[in-house]
Amino acid sequence: VMRRAAETALHRRGALPTPGAAVTVRRAQSADADAISALNAQVLQLHAAARPDFFKTPSDATFPPALAVEWMARPDLFFFVAEVEGQVVGYLMVELGQLAEGASTRALKRANIHHLVVAQSARRQGAGAALLRTARTWAQDNGADLVVLEVWAFNAAAQRLFAGQGFAPFTHRLV
């Protein structure tokens, strides 16, 4: 009840987007780096809570805005942001690369989605799906044969999102 009241107050002040408002996706710009860094901290906190043996607790050093800007300048990485009412509520980072032909595998141009984050306050409102649709279209337009992503076993919400968007298990990594 308290969380709902707090979110309602934030919506009224314009600090959170209105539930059900339209989602737009665009190519990220360096001006989005602060929002991207903050969103990354949200998902890293989830990961660190589930697997503290592997993930660091978010800090100013884990994915600072300057690193986001640096990565946006790389020719092989592409960032998209989802906005609701002019506010960045999510981002996706995808890498376009070539898998070399091996003795038993074919060469493939692959789009690898490394990051997909939607703010807790904006989940289940279409931002994640819109980012994935944009990434798939972008990958197809750029000649990718395959769009891949990884999801941690503890992240059931992400697994449901990806399955709902047509992603299916391709391989299983065990430790």
Side-chain angles (χ1 to χ4, degrees):
V1 173
M2 289 179 65
R3 180 177 175 177
R4 190 174 323 137
E7 285 185 352
T8 300
L10 289 170
H11 286 296
R12 285 187 188 134
R13 289 196 326 246
L16 289 178
T18 306
V23 175
T24 58
V25 176
R26 62 173 173 79
R27 182 86 182 260
Q29 302 168 355
S30 59
D32 300 315
D34 287 334
I36 289 169
S37 177
L39 287 164
N40 185 272
Q42 285 185 25
V43 77
L44 184 54
Q45 184 60 50
L46 170 75
H47 286 71
R51 290 293 309 265
D53 60 315
F54 190 84
F55 290 101
K56 296 178 180 180
T57 300
S59 72
D60 291 342
T62 51
F63 194 66
L67 183 59
V69 170
E70 179 183 323
W71 285 9
M72 279 187 238
R74 285 180 44 181
D76 59 331
L77 293 179
F78 299 85
F79 284 74
F80 297 96
V81 292
E83 291 183 316
V84 175
E85 296 177 337
Q87 295 178 26
V88 173
V89 298
Y91 84 94
L92 180 145
M93 181 184 80
V94 59
E95 178 181 24
L96 192 60
Q98 185 73 33
L99 292 174
E101 183 172 346
S104 60
T105 59
R106 301 183 189 283
L108 292 172
K109 192 171 186 181
R110 175 179 74 176
N112 191 348
I113 297 172
H114 290 290
H115 295 184
L116 173 59
V117 184
V118 175
Q120 186 71 32
S121 62
R123 291 192 182 150
R124 303 191 58 78
Q125 297 178 36
L131 284 163
L132 286 168
R133 282 191 305 274
T134 298
R136 280 186 149 161
T137 299
W138 174 88
Q140 182 179 11
D141 291 349
N142 284 277
D145 301 302
L146 186 64
V147 178
V148 298
L149 53 81
E150 291 184 18
V151 61
W152 285 85
F154 61 78
N155 198 341
Q159 292 173 33
R160 285 190 301 273
L161 169 65
F162 300 145
Q165 295 301 307
F167 285 90
F170 181 69
T171 185
H172 292 276
R173 184 179 287 178
L174 306 174
V175 292

